[in-house]
Amino acid sequence: MTSASETMETPARDAPLPRERFWYPYLLIAPSMIMLVVVSLVPFIYTIYLSFHAAKFGRVTDFVGFDNYAVLLTDARFWNSIGVAATFVVIAVPIEFMLGLAGALVLNQNVRGRSLLIPLLFMPTMMAPIVVGLLWKIMLAGSWGFLSYNVLERFDILPGTSVFASPDYALYALIFVDIWQWTPFMMLAFFAGLQALPLGPYRAAAVDGANSLQMFFHITLPMMTPLLAVIGLLRFIDAFKVFDTIYILTGGGPGISTETPSILANKMTFEFWNIGEASALAVLVWIAFFAFCSIFYQIAKKKLNAF
């Protein structure tokens, strides 16, 4: 039996929290929330404001309604940038995904020197984008670049010029650079997921006579689905809005063959000084991503049980 003194000392579970304790969690996150509002929300709201106004050469003048959006949606250059970004994502992300998952499965087999191999594999992802851009600009420079001279020139694939100066090959060169840089990230993210999986289901499957392929499809993939979905979604978003390496390597050229929405928005703002249309472009891309992420979340939650 519980004594009367113990009963008096034990606080009631349903008693309301003191006001100081109630506000304490909000005080802890307040600095981060204020920073997010100042850095992200306020600029975004101002971008929406600019998209409904005639803003050129640094001056915001008349309210034009949806005119900026109408001009943008009828501009062939805008749709070309969407097509370039879509091509970039559709080729680069699945390759990075498959190579990353394959590499993670290999690393998960207790290969020799894994503790040394993992930091070396992660080096491309750790590099600053400007370093990656300059590195591959030198490697693929026309005639004298290491790969240009030993591969493109020697096998007469693209003699006498840089691959980044070719409208037919420049985008694929950028895709190759992106795969080189971000496949290690996918690999290590998936490897961390594999390391966290419980061993019980694998031991039970081994007792039942399941082989490695059956374990992969019936145990590993179902348990890894949440991680695969999240990493795939994040990489898709990041690849679609890639800017830095493209800006350094091609600047959107030659012509507009590698011009993504990010590059186009930069040119609209800092070369054409058409800030209103650039803001409309940014808002349209955000709306598209918001819709895509919402649909992806619902599908992944219901069909894949990923969230």
Side-chain angles (χ1 to χ4, degrees), residues 201-270:
Y202 292 96
R203 291 170 180 164
V207 171
D208 291 338
N211 56 38
S212 299
L213 201 60
Q214 290 172 326
M215 290 183 187
F216 174 74
F217 283 106
H218 295 285
I219 299 176
T220 304
L221 275 184
M223 290 196 295
M224 286 277 290
T225 298
L227 178 66
L228 297 176
V230 171
I231 296 297
L233 179 61
L234 292 177
R235 186 69 204 109
F236 170 85
I237 295 172
D238 192 52
F240 190 90
K241 60 186 182 66
V242 64
F243 172 80
D244 32 36
T245 51
I246 296 179
Y247 181 79
I248 295 166
L249 291 171
T250 65
I256 57 174
S257 58
T258 61
E259 191 176 72
T260 61
S262 299
I263 297 292
L264 178 59
N266 179 75
K267 289 182 178 179
M268 282 182 171
T269 304
F270 298 106

Side-chain angles (χ1 to χ4, degrees), residues 128-143:
I130 189 171
V131 176
V132 173
L134 292 175
L135 170 66
W136 284 102
K137 199 160 192 174
I138 294 171
M139 293 284 283
L140 293 172
S143 300

Side-chain angles (χ1 to χ4, degrees), residues 4-248:
S5 59
E6 290 179 351
T7 304
M8 292 177 62
E9 292 176 358
T10 304
R13 292 185 179 181
D14 298 331
L17 291 173
R19 181 170 297 181
E20 293 79 7
R21 290 182 61 187
F22 176 79
W23 287 107
Y24 187 68
Y26 298 98
L27 290 175
L28 290 178
I29 65 172
S32 299
M33 296 304 296
I34 293 172
M35 183 62 67
L36 285 174
V37 169
V38 172
V39 174
S40 300
L41 186 60
V42 172
F44 178 68
I45 293 174
Y46 188 61
T47 300
I48 297 175
Y49 170 82
L50 290 175
S51 70
F52 290 105
H53 288 76
K56 293 186 178 181
F57 304 104
R59 296 181 58 191
V60 182
T61 55
D62 301 330
F63 176 81
V64 295
F66 289 95
D67 287 357
N68 288 327
Y69 293 92
V71 171
L72 200 62
L73 291 173
T74 56
D75 187 358
R77 191 167 182 175
F78 167 73
W79 290 110
N80 173 78
S81 70
I82 296 295
V84 169
T87 304
F88 188 93
V89 169
V90 167
I91 297 177
V93 175
I95 293 176
E96 292 165 4
F97 192 94
M98 290 185 291
L99 291 178
L101 184 57
L105 291 170
V106 173
L107 288 177
N108 200 44
Q109 301 303 312
N110 292 321
V111 295
R112 286 186 177 182
R114 187 172 67 182
S115 59
L116 179 63
L117 185 62
I118 289 177
L120 292 176
L121 288 173
F122 203 52
M123 283 182 64
T125 303
M126 292 189 293
M127 290 183 180
I130 189 171
V131 176
V132 173
L134 292 175
L135 170 66
W136 284 102
K137 199 160 192 174
I138 294 171
M139 293 284 283
L140 293 172
S143 300
W144 58 271
F146 179 79
L147 289 181
S148 296
Y149 179 77
N150 289 287
V151 179
L152 301 181
E153 291 272 350
R154 180 164 297 182
F155 294 98
D156 200 32
I157 298 174
L158 197 66
T161 186
S162 168
V163 66
F164 297 119
S166 169
D168 298 324
Y169 296 103
L171 181 59
Y172 299 105
L174 293 173
I175 291 171
F176 172 79
V177 173
D178 192 79
I179 292 171
W180 177 84
Q181 183 179 12
W182 290 107
T183 295
F185 168 77
M186 306 281 275
M187 185 186 304
L188 291 179
F190 295 153
F191 172 66
L194 289 172
Q195 289 285 291
L197 296 180
L199 297 177
Y202 292 96
R203 291 170 180 164
V207 171
D208 291 338
N211 56 38
S212 299
L213 201 60
Q214 290 172 326
M215 290 183 187
F216 174 74
F217 283 106
H218 295 285
I219 299 176
T220 304
L221 275 184
M223 290 196 295
M224 286 277 290
T225 298
L227 178 66
L228 297 176
V230 171
I231 296 297
L233 179 61
L234 292 177
R235 186 69 204 109
F236 170 85
I237 295 172
D238 192 52
F240 190 90
K241 60 186 182 66
V242 64
F243 172 80
D244 32 36
T245 51
I246 296 179
Y247 181 79
I248 295 166

